[in-house]
Amino acid sequence: MIRSFAEWFEQAEAAGVSLAEFVERREVKETGVPREAIRKRIEDTLTVMRGAVAEGLAESATSPSGLTGGRSGRLAADGPRLLGDDFTTMLSRAIATLETNARMGLIMATPTAGAAGVVPAVLLTLAPLRGWSEERLVDAMLVAGGTGIIIADRASIAGAGGGCQAETGSAAAMASAAVTWLEGGDSQQVGTAVALTIQGMLGLICDPVAGLVEIPCAYRNASAAVNAVASAEMALAGLDFPIPVDQVVDVMGDVGTKMDVRFRETALGGLAATPAGQEIAAQAGMTELVQLQRKGRTKGEGSARFGPS
Amino acid sequence: MTTLFDILGPRMVGPSSSHTAGACRLGYVAQAILGGMPDRAVVGLHGSFAMTGEGHGTRIAITGGLLGHTPDDERLRGAEREATEKGLEIEFSTVDLGDDAHPNSAVFEVVRGAERIAITGCSIGGGQIRVLEIDGFAVDLSGSLPTIVVVADDVPGTVARITGLIAERGLNVATVRVDRTGRGERALMTIETDEDVPVTVLEELAAQSWVHWIRNVHRLNA
């Protein structure tokens, strides 16, 4: 069990193993699954991720709700390339996974379905640019996984638990840790990358229009991917962050539990409760939801039992 | 405890890990505890499950789970039709489990032949679930490890005899949880093990006079 980033970094160093190897050994020890099987399963994970991206980019049909579909392809084709091809590619891949997800297609919920676009967009776009082998990508996924485990146990990875900061924020933190580590960052820099990512997303609410994992989720995955790469870039340059990563994660957890329930995936606040959001929900036939949105409150308000326990 | 593949996954059919994958797992666990696909299921959806479940395919996913499908099974999309074909009758309703209940909670009453079981559970995010109640007994079942559920006489030594039988086969018991209806009546035990308990061991346990019923719930993310 890893309870904190500090513990992960210290124990890996004490054991003389890399952060990736530490996570791998822990998994072998705690599940009894052999190392090769774990790595094979991560390779399969990458295959599903690639498939979800490809399907999202190729398919122009909309989701059953009509809210998403075809945007990733349009971005890939028509984006003006403000920061070059790769930037546009990364954004379109993040959106593509969410479009596949909305069509009840097969995805890897890393760490959740609503944030599934971030890790693949970042890692699959940077891999050829930075010359990472498949083997190294598997290692990077172990680092991403270790990061997500700590955040899930210390704070939350669920929108219903802690808002969007807990979902796309955790996904971005995982991606930025993986990139920083693969690019030769030390433990300190990996921690800084995670801290920088999360501080930039603190307080982000989960307000899915009509309660669907589509809008703003698809766009938030794209912006989270940008945040992940930006944080890795700054951490790798040696920029520091004065608040230790574990304390930043705890703040995210604290903000999440104090967040009004309307902003935790209930679709009763934020963009979901705007006049335009209500209209979309009404068109989708969600009459009970619209009634509650109009009342501006919900049963269960103030409830304390949210999130992984 | 969160494991690596809780985070790198689950591999699942969209759109929501909590409202689709978690919902499917709750249905799956309900049928596993029942001992197979129910003939009839009455499912109450609470909170966010009831309110936004429609757009997330929550009902479709629960139906697929009750059919024995896991969240990554692409047959989920057609679960409603499959249920009709296989004679699985499902009735959904909205329930209010109170403010303390997790917003993504569901109550199941599942019937298979003469067997009838009530289960309450919730989907806590990332596709992970907790079963909190089985037939009025308090439990805390996550499915992250292979789990056996046993209802037995609540007499001294019952827990030791069951875990002893399992340990004799070289299987490691991870956790044991017991809840009982009253002293000397019946107790429900959930026993998590590191590996699946072989059928022979389950049969041996089931043959004991003081064991009323036993079920095997496979590890969910395997």
Side-chain angles (χ1 to χ4, degrees), chain A residues 1 23-24 26-27 30-31 33 37-39 41-42 44-45 48 55 100-114 141-142 144-149 152-153 157-158 160 167 174 208 210-214 261 265-268 284 286 288-289 292 298-301 303-309, chain B residues 1-21 25 46-48 50-61 71-74 76-78 94-105 122-128 130 132 140 144-145 194-195 219-222:
Chain A
M1 190 174 294
V23 175
E24 191 179 85
R26 169 194 178 273
E27 191 66 14
E30 289 184 1
T31 64
V33 178
I38 290 169
R39 296 188 73 86
R41 192 161 162 193
I42 296 176
D44 294 345
T45 297
V48 173
E55 191 185 319
T100 297
N101 184 56
R103 290 192 199 95
M104 279 189 102
L106 192 63
I107 56 114
M108 291 303 305
T110 309
T112 62
M141 290 288 282
L142 286 162
T147 302
I149 288 169
D153 289 344
I157 55 164
E167 285 213 26
M174 289 163 62
L212 301 168
V213 189
E214 299 194 51
V261 74
E265 213 183 305
T266 53
L268 294 169
M286 298 186 186
E288 196 197 351
L289 176 64
L292 282 166
T298 175
K299 294 179 283 187
E301 208 162 321
S303 166
R305 280 186 56 202
F306 286 96
S309 49
Chain B
M1 187 201 70
T2 309
T3 72
L4 183 63
F5 293 104
D6 292 332
I7 297 295
L8 304 182
R11 175 189 151 104
M12 58 167 276
V13 165
S16 164
S17 42
S18 53
H19 287 66
T20 318
R25 278 179 168 172
H46 165 84
S48 176
M51 213 158 18
T52 69
E54 188 63 39
H56 288 132
T58 299
R59 292 171 191 207
I60 299 172
D72 63 343
D73 196 317
E74 297 193 74
L76 279 188
R77 285 192 227 201
T94 298
V95 294
D96 186 350
L97 301 177
D99 288 356
D100 285 344
H102 190 283
N104 296 327
S105 293
C122 56
S123 169
I124 62 168
Q128 296 184 61
R130 289 282 183 280
L132 301 172
D140 184 8
S144 61
L145 286 172
D194 286 345
E195 296 132 74
R219 184 185 178 132
L220 285 180
N221 58 358

Side-chain angles (χ1 to χ4, degrees), chain A residues 165-237:
Chain A
Q165 55 161 8
E167 285 213 26
T168 60
S170 300
M174 289 163 62
S176 80
V179 171
T180 305
W181 182 80
L182 261 191
E183 285 290 303
D186 59 20
S187 294
Q188 186 71 36
Q189 287 170 310
V190 169
T192 302
V194 171
L196 287 174
T197 305
I198 293 177
Q199 64 79 31
M201 301 178 78
L202 279 178
L204 190 62
I205 61 172
C206 177
D207 50 352
V209 171
L212 301 168
V213 189
E214 299 194 51
I215 300 291
C217 322
Y219 291 115
R220 289 221 178 118
N221 272 256
S223 48
V226 175
N227 198 330
V229 178
S231 300
E233 176 84 19
M234 293 189 280
L236 283 162

